[in-house]
Amino acid sequence: MDNINVLIIEDTPEQSDTLSKVLLANNYNIAGVAQNYTDALTLFYKNPVDIVVIDVFLDGKPDGITFAETISIVPNAAKPFVFLTSSHDRQIFERAKLTKPFSFLMKPFNELEIIYALEMAVEKFYDQTNVFLSEDQDTIISNDYMFIKKRNVLKKVSLKDILYIEVEDRYCNIITEKEKFVILISLTKISALLDKNKFIRTHRNYLVNSDTIEEIILADNLVILKGNHKVNLSDNYKDFIKKIKTLS
Amino acid sequence: MFKLKLFFLSIFLFFPLYNFSQVQPTSIALNQILQKKAIEFKNETNFNKAHLFFIKNNWDSTLVYSMKQLISSKNEELMDYCHFFRGYSFREKKLFKEAQSEMHLISNKFILYPLVNKNLGQISLELKEFEKAIYYFKEVEKLPFSNNHGYKISIIYENLGICYLHLNQFNKAEEYFFKSLELQEKEKDLISLIGLNMNIAGLYYQQYKDLQAITFFEKAYNLSKKVNHFESKKNASLNMAIVEENRGNFKEALAYRKESSKWNDSINNQNKVWAVADYEKKYAIAQKQKQISVLKVENKLKDTQRKTMFLSTLGLLLVLSGGVYAYAQKVKNTKIILSQKIKLDELNATKDQLFSIVSHDLRSSVNALKTSNSKLTTSLETKNYNELDNLLNQNSAIANSAYSLLDNLLHWALLQTKQLYFHKDSVHLFSIVQQIEFNYKSLLSDKNITFENSVSKNNFIWVDLDSLKIVLRNLLDNAIKFTPENGKICFYTVETNTNFCQLVIHDSGLGMSQNTIDELLQDNELLAKKKNSEIIGTGLGMQLCKQMIKKNGGSITIESELNKGTKMILSFPKTEQNG
């Protein structure tokens, strides 16, 4: 599991320092701190970024909104973002609102509020609301990552790293090459959210990352994965084999 | 000589007829019969009209209406009457042929049949069909004598006489003339008597029995002196003149001629007088016509005047009502403006009060900070480090309260000026309560108040996050303010089956009386008065809470017991699942 990278766009160093401290304390990585629009764009494209925290006003200009607008129009580059504002100015808000999904945080804010706002932004951005705060789910799945809230800390796991997923009631065991952990999500949801061509059902309780399959032993009903992980193969789900290009 | 005689006779002969016809329409008996019929056939308007015109001797109209009656009705009796009217009218208009044919159309059942015969006789006489005339008159004569049917038997005799005279049957003529004379002398009708005498004289004259003729001429002449009928006088004297002329007494003849011409003149004069009268009448009529036309014009003028008057009145009325309406509107507007003004004044007063309270609070806060800061400086100078921590805590507490006051003020202002950004979203209530509590941790631990957040973690509500935070902040602030040391403040939700989520903020504080609760919840924008400046604040926070809750579509109720604690019960709309 990796930490979440946050890009901070804030022109007041004091405030960005406080914010950095809070985020670091909550196991977030700081991908960078930009003080103006140009820096922000540079940092955004240079470093891996998962969430952007944007101050609406940079040097008295609403450049924060401009930045949000800029990243929003590039389809795959867009990331979840949170506006920080001390202004109640209505017109600015009306403009900021157009950059959907729109989350914002009023200054001054405390630790809990910024964490909440970041989680909300991720939920809204991936359109999977009421996840982190409900009691029956703690994971959001994007195209590349799983965002998992573990003991009040938001973490991410790259889907590429996952070998297979073992489902057990409301829980799923995620097995990567290096670690193994449990997330809270129902099977229906997880299979709906994951790419069906990449994660293949081999058994009632197993979802396998097809990229990691090394060998399929039909006689033993076994699938051998990277790192010599073995997964059961049931007759009902054997059909996927036809789709796999094999050397014969 | 003979020619001369004949000429005279033709004059006499028609005279009785003329005379007769004058008597006829006034015949009361005939009128009475007609009147009865008119009453009997009330509904036949045409008949009634014909009858009325007949009595008035208006022959043309009689003809018209009797024709209408003939076309419209097939009642035989009425048809007889109508034919009678028509025959009579034609005769009067000297259209004898038509008169005769109309008279022939009358059935012999007709009550006035003798009269019809008489008329037919007269018509035949006029048409010089003497034989026929005699036949008709004889028919009349045959009937028993009566005066009821509007004719005199004497006249019939006379007419018979005339007929025989024309047929040169002198003996018969003489006989009838004398029969008539006998009757007429009894009746004393002088004018017809004169005519009769002249007719008898004419009879003798034609037989060259001059002496007898002269006797009757003279008799007629003498009688003519007694009457005031110029025609008779003229004819009598003219006849005398001719007689004298024939006898060769030219002098006397001349005298009679002169007398005759004198009477002729009189007739002419009379005619002239009549003509003048006629003219005058015409003139008068013209005058009247003029007057009428003038009146008509006047009427027209009056009419237009009345119309103009009416229109102008209407216009005035309209203008008036418009004015009244406008005035009423104005009064109404003034009233509205007045009430608005009063309300504005009240609001302004509230605002002023608010400003004074806020500025006072702020001033005292800042002043406390100042004093505390100077103490801090002194402590630092004197290196009294033990005091520092205490003072700093105090400072931060003061700063916090001043900040929250200012924050409330800002939001209140934004709300009042409708500039507040309002964006409803799904909100996790538990997290928000935690976030709010986070800011008050130090305050809570200062007073050693236990805080408990038992809000269900599955509660999502549909509100504007910032306004919710303002509300919760204020309520928690109040709860802390009113809860004594070692007290307890608890946030929890109550499950309801409605679409609303109930959040209860329960403190173990001072509590308040029902009056205070009512005052707090009163829906006016006036701020509660500051009774106890130590504890009770401006009331701004509570006002703000109420307005924010209302704006979020929620509601607030308060349950409280003095010295036991207060429950603030808020309800907010839940986030709709799957939507």
Side-chain angles (χ1 to χ4, degrees):
Chain A
M1 281 201 282
D2 303 316
N3 287 346
I4 310 282
N5 301 310
V6 181
L7 173 63
I8 299 170
I9 304 169
E10 167 68 71
D11 60 334
T12 326
E14 275 176 45
Q15 289 189 13
S16 55
D17 287 350
T18 329
L19 188 57
S20 301
K21 268 182 208 160
V22 168
L23 291 180
L24 287 171
N26 283 282
N27 291 321
Y28 285 89
N29 273 346
I30 306 299
V33 177
Q35 294 201 351
N36 55 52
Y37 175 73
T38 332
D39 289 357
L41 275 184
T42 320
L43 284 171
F44 182 73
Y45 287 115
K46 205 174 80 187
N47 297 340
V49 173
D50 297 309
I51 308 174
V52 193
V53 177
I54 311 163
D55 190 1
V56 169
F57 280 95
L58 301 173
D59 282 333
K61 288 175 283 178
D63 274 354
I65 297 175
T66 319
F67 176 79
E69 283 162 1
T70 314
I71 62 166
S72 291
I73 52 171
V74 186
N76 291 319
K79 295 287 172 192
F81 55 86
V82 179
F83 282 118
L84 293 183
T85 178
S86 57
S87 162
H88 288 244
D89 189 284
R90 211 175 186 183
Q91 277 176 327
I92 291 300
F93 265 76
E94 292 299 335
R95 193 181 150 195
K97 211 169 126 184
L98 297 175
T99 59
K100 278 179 182 170
F102 165 62
S103 12
F104 68 92
L105 184 62
M106 208 68 79
K107 287 182 192 171
F109 48 83
N110 62 37
E111 204 179 314
L112 295 182
E113 282 169 326
I114 181 65
I115 300 303
Y116 178 79
L118 289 175
E119 288 168 5
M120 285 300 111
V122 173
E123 283 190 0
K124 273 191 197 169
F125 187 83
Y126 295 111
D127 201 19
Q128 298 166 40
T129 47
N130 302 348
V131 170
F132 296 133
L133 300 163
S134 72
E135 284 175 324
D136 49 11
Q137 200 179 334
D138 65 358
T139 303
I140 280 176
I141 296 164
S142 77
N143 286 335
D144 306 316
Y145 292 102
M146 275 186 179
F147 294 94
I148 305 151
K149 197 177 175 189
K150 276 257 171 266
R151 278 170 245 105
N152 284 327
V153 177
L154 197 62
K155 294 271 186 179
K156 64 169 183 179
V157 174
S158 172
L159 295 182
K160 281 185 275 182
D161 296 343
I162 296 172
L163 295 175
Y164 67 96
I165 299 161
E166 188 187 357
V167 183
E168 238 174 63
D169 276 346
R170 293 160 56 215
Y171 302 95
C172 293
N173 287 312
I174 311 286
I175 290 95
T176 66
E177 280 177 82
K178 292 167 200 160
E179 50 192 343
K180 179 181 173 189
F181 51 86
V182 178
I183 60 165
L184 192 58
I185 193 167
S186 67
L187 176 69
T188 36
K189 260 198 175 161
I190 198 169
S191 42
L193 290 166
L194 286 171
D195 183 358
K196 287 196 176 56
N197 294 322
K198 207 168 176 194
F199 284 87
I200 298 164
R201 198 106 176 244
T202 58
H203 184 267
R204 195 164 59 86
N205 291 336
Y206 290 96
L207 283 164
V208 170
N209 185 347
S210 59
D211 295 344
T212 63
I213 297 176
E214 298 206 320
E215 199 181 349
I216 298 168
I217 308 168
L218 286 170
D220 297 341
N221 275 347
L222 272 180
V223 180
I224 312 291
L225 303 173
K226 233 190 243 173
N228 209 22
H229 287 276
K230 293 186 182 95
V231 173
N232 287 334
L233 175 65
S234 81
D235 291 341
N236 290 344
Y237 299 97
K238 272 179 182 168
D239 289 351
F240 78 93
I241 297 166
K242 289 170 194 160
K243 290 180 197 163
I244 294 175
K245 288 170 191 162
T246 48
L247 294 169
S248 49
Chain B
M1 184 74 181
F2 187 68
K3 268 184 183 173
L4 205 66
K5 277 177 198 168
L6 276 176
F7 170 69
F8 297 148
L9 278 167
S10 62
I11 296 166
F12 312 148
L13 281 171
F14 291 107
F15 186 61
L17 290 172
Y18 172 68
N19 200 1
F20 183 72
S21 63
Q22 258 194 341
V23 175
Q24 180 61 27
T26 52
S27 168
I28 297 156
L30 180 62
N31 281 351
Q32 275 174 345
I33 292 165
L34 289 175
Q35 211 84 38
K36 270 185 206 164
K37 284 289 147 196
I39 291 161
E40 195 180 330
F41 295 102
K42 245 186 200 169
N43 296 332
E44 302 285 354
T45 45
N46 287 330
F47 173 73
N48 276 331
K49 281 187 180 165
H51 141 252
L52 278 172
F53 286 120
F54 182 75
I55 290 170
K56 285 182 187 165
N57 297 357
N58 191 338
W59 310 120
D60 290 324
S61 301
T62 311
L63 283 170
V64 170
Y65 283 105
S66 56
M67 177 52 81
K68 279 188 182 172
Q69 177 64 28
L70 277 175
I71 290 163
S72 65
S73 148
K74 295 286 172 223
N75 186 320
E76 276 185 20
E77 200 178 356
L78 285 181
M79 278 166 78
D80 284 346
Y81 275 104
C82 289
H83 287 306
F84 179 70
F85 288 158
R86 291 177 67 77
Y88 206 106
S89 303
F90 280 133
R91 204 201 78 197
E92 288 294 339
K93 294 188 69 76
K94 312 273 184 225
L95 297 163
F96 298 113
K97 290 273 180 196
E98 283 84 353
Q100 203 172 30
S101 61
E102 286 291 341
M103 285 296 183
H104 281 305
L105 285 170
I106 298 167
S107 66
N108 49 10
K109 285 178 203 159
F110 190 47
I111 306 174
L112 300 171
Y113 203 67
L115 205 55
V116 175
N117 273 338
K118 196 211 80 182
N119 274 318
L120 276 168
Q122 281 173 337
I123 291 159
S124 304
L125 191 56
E126 296 277 5
L127 292 169
K128 304 214 171 16
E129 295 167 349
F130 301 115
E131 304 269 344
K132 265 192 192 170
I134 288 166
Y135 165 76
Y136 289 123
F137 285 132
K138 288 258 176 170
E139 284 291 307
V140 183
E141 196 192 359
K142 272 181 209 162
L143 293 166
F145 172 80
S146 90
N147 206 12
N148 282 347
H149 293 316
Y151 63 91
K152 291 174 185 168
I153 196 76
S154 59
I155 306 289
I156 303 295
Y157 288 149
E158 192 183 348
N159 281 340
L160 275 166
I162 292 164
C163 291
Y164 283 121
L165 180 58
H166 277 285
L167 294 168
N168 289 340
Q169 295 179 6
F170 300 120
N171 288 339
K172 277 195 180 164
E174 195 176 358
E175 187 194 330
Y176 279 110
F177 277 143
F178 277 101
K179 262 188 185 172
S180 178
L181 184 66
E182 201 182 332
L183 285 168
Q184 285 200 4
E185 273 174 346
K186 278 182 204 162
E187 287 163 5
K188 307 252 182 232
D189 186 343
L190 287 179
I191 294 168
S192 38
L193 208 56
I194 293 164
L196 184 59
N197 277 325
M198 284 197 281
N199 280 341
I200 296 167
L203 170 75
Y204 287 128
Y205 216 73
Q206 226 165 347
Q207 295 172 64
Y208 302 100
K209 294 174 179 173
D210 281 14
L211 271 177
Q212 275 162 300
I214 287 164
T215 328
F216 280 100
F217 276 133
E218 278 179 345
K219 211 171 166 182
Y221 179 68
N222 288 334
L223 280 168
S224 78
K225 282 182 180 170
K226 290 179 194 167
V227 295
N228 200 15
H229 192 266
F230 298 128
E231 190 92 37
S232 309
K233 284 176 186 243
K234 188 197 93 179
N235 286 339
S237 51
L238 191 62
N239 282 338
M240 282 306 289
I242 293 162
V243 169
E244 291 300 334
E245 203 183 325
N246 285 350
R247 279 202 296 199
N249 296 336
F250 294 111
K251 217 173 165 184
E252 281 166 41
L254 194 66
Y256 283 121
R257 272 255 179 230
K258 275 186 181 168
E259 200 186 338
S260 165
S261 66
K262 190 183 89 187
W263 294 128
N264 201 20
D265 283 354
S266 298
I267 291 168
N268 285 347
N269 270 347
Q270 202 181 26
N271 284 345
K272 255 186 202 161
V273 168
W274 282 341
V276 167
D278 209 37
Y279 183 72
E280 273 180 358
K281 211 167 148 191
K282 269 185 189 163
Y283 180 73
I285 286 167
Q287 208 72 8
K288 281 271 167 196
Q289 203 64 44
K290 242 186 213 168
Q291 273 183 357
I292 285 167
S293 59
V294 166
L295 281 175
K296 261 186 191 165
V297 170
E298 271 180 10
N299 259 356
K300 233 182 187 172
L301 211 69
K302 270 186 190 167
D303 214 42
T304 39
Q305 267 181 349
R306 210 180 301 147
K307 260 185 196 164
T308 345
M309 192 75 177
F310 178 71
L311 280 175
S312 54
T313 320
L314 207 76
L316 273 174
L317 212 74
L318 225 74
V319 167
L320 198 76
S321 53
V324 168
Y325 180 73
Y327 182 72
Q329 281 295 317
K330 204 193 146 208
V331 167
K332 207 172 145 192
N333 282 346
T334 329
K335 256 187 193 166
I336 291 169
I337 289 168
L338 200 75
S339 68
Q340 280 173 342
K341 189 184 170 280
I342 290 166
K343 208 180 169 194
L344 280 177
D345 282 350
E346 274 175 18
L347 285 176
N348 209 24
T350 316
K351 211 171 261 179
D352 288 348
Q353 201 189 359
L354 176 78
F355 273 129
S356 73
I357 293 167
V358 168
S359 49
H360 175 262
D361 281 15
L362 221 51
R363 191 168 161 267
S364 36
S365 295
V366 173
N367 192 38
L369 210 59
K370 252 173 79 184
T371 341
S372 166
N373 271 350
S374 59
K375 265 189 199 169
L376 203 65
T377 326
T378 341
S379 304
L380 263 177
E381 275 169 6
T382 54
K383 304 200 168 156
N384 185 359
Y385 295 123
N386 296 339
E387 194 67 14
L388 278 181
D389 186 48
N390 199 11
L391 281 170
L392 277 172
N393 268 340
Q394 199 184 321
N395 271 8
S396 87
I398 294 165
N400 270 340
S401 78
Y403 178 80
S404 67
L405 179 65
L406 279 172
D407 199 45
N408 276 347
L409 194 62
L410 171 70
H411 284 111
W412 191 74
L414 285 171
L415 194 69
Q416 293 299 309
T417 50
K418 301 200 169 30
Q419 278 182 38
L420 190 76
Y421 183 78
F422 202 81
H423 177 80
K424 280 192 183 183
D425 215 338
S426 180
V427 168
H428 190 237
L429 194 53
F430 177 83
S431 307
I432 303 304
V433 172
Q434 258 191 332
Q435 289 167 26
I436 298 299
E437 185 232 342
F438 191 81
N439 280 352
Y440 286 91
K441 273 207 158 104
S442 59
L443 262 179
L444 287 164
S445 60
D446 275 357
K447 282 184 108 176
N448 201 19
I449 294 169
T450 323
F451 181 87
E452 197 183 304
N453 180 4
S454 335
V455 173
S456 156
K457 285 187 181 172
N458 286 324
N459 262 321
F460 289 92
I461 55 173
W462 190 254
V463 290
D464 172 59
L465 180 60
D466 280 301
S467 51
L468 176 72
K469 280 183 186 170
I470 292 160
V471 170
L472 295 181
R473 224 177 276 146
N474 271 295
L475 292 178
L476 182 58
D477 198 52
N478 276 346
I480 295 169
K481 214 184 270 177
F482 293 111
T483 305
E485 289 195 6
N486 304 316
K488 190 184 176 192
I489 295 170
C490 190
F491 277 55
Y492 58 91
T493 45
V494 177
E495 269 314 309
T496 54
N497 287 327
T498 58
N499 290 326
F500 283 84
C501 170
Q502 276 201 341
L503 172 68
V504 183
I505 299 153
H506 190 186
D507 68 56
S508 59
L510 278 177
M512 50 187 146
S513 66
Q514 190 60 42
N515 274 350
T516 323
I517 292 173
D518 290 346
E519 230 169 76
L520 275 177
L521 292 180
Q522 239 172 45
D523 197 23
N524 60 9
E525 289 175 42
L526 285 171
L527 295 159
K529 279 190 185 128
K530 205 170 185 177
K531 284 174 199 159
N532 184 344
S533 60
E534 276 300 305
I535 299 177
I536 299 167
T538 51
L540 180 65
M542 197 60 202
Q543 281 301 322
L544 204 57
C545 282
K546 277 193 299 186
Q547 286 182 26
M548 294 289 194
I549 290 165
K550 204 172 152 193
K551 218 169 147 93
N552 276 306
S555 62
I556 178 169
T557 48
I558 302 174
E559 283 174 21
S560 183
E561 252 181 284
L562 274 172
N563 300 322
K564 276 197 174 167
T566 306
K567 276 186 192 173
M568 295 277 185
I569 303 158
L570 313 179
S571 65
F572 291 106
K574 281 181 188 165
T575 302
E576 280 176 44
Q577 294 300 317
N578 307 322

